[in-house]
Amino acid sequence: MNDHSHRNTRALLEVKDLTLYFPRQQRAAVQRVSFSIPSGSTLGLVGGSGAGKSSIARLVMRLIEADAGEILYRGTDIAKMDTRQLFRYRQNVQIVFQEPSASLSPRRTVQQTLLEPLKHFVIGDAEHRRQKIRETLSTVGLDDTTLQRYPHQLSSGQQQRVAIARALVSDPELVIADEAVASLDVSIQAQILQLIRSLQDERGIAFLFISHDLGVIRQIADQVGVMYRGRLVEQ
């Protein structure tokens, strides 16, 4: 695990007794799960299929609502945020999905993909946005020649770098990586993990890193939570 003892220990995100029921399955998808993520650190959630990891990601993104418990961002319950607070929360908390080929629009160039969040969150003028896109691409190891390409013209590793760039371009404080390296081969996986580590060191971004692979989690996480059948059984 990484040694980031110099980091701020104040909780950026705190999850308390989080519970989500799936009535059809007659069981809790997430059951009384609690954890916290300090600014600039990585919590790795590991567990098999159906353990509840991706449900937690969707709850933290407030794509679905919890049945019980709290998710506190800088001390504010996200379920009680007004429209303006939620807008800023969504700027500060971004997600990278497992399959970049599915999460990137085939009809948008890389430039259009990265421009979208800047427009949505009303960040900067046209010149600032152009510069921000180029800087973010450089951060993830891609150059300007990528700007006018479409996802099908990129390798799987390049696609995932674009997906990470899209998450980073709005300067978030927390990035959720939901099986973000699972579909990549081992060498590309190692490059993406190194990229995430360097982003954390350089920018102080916190990560909720979700994986079924404990080996991957051990490479990147400051703390590890083990999920089984909706419960956090070990931390």
Side-chain angles (χ1 to χ4, degrees), residues 6 17 90 123 177 199 203 221:
H6 64 283
D17 293 327
R90 292 213 159 113
I123 298 170
L199 285 169
R203 295 195 181 192

Side-chain angles (χ1 to χ4, degrees), residues 53 74 94 103 110 141 145 163:
K53 309 182 304 297
R74 294 196 172 278
Q94 292 286 314
S103 66
V110 170
T145 61

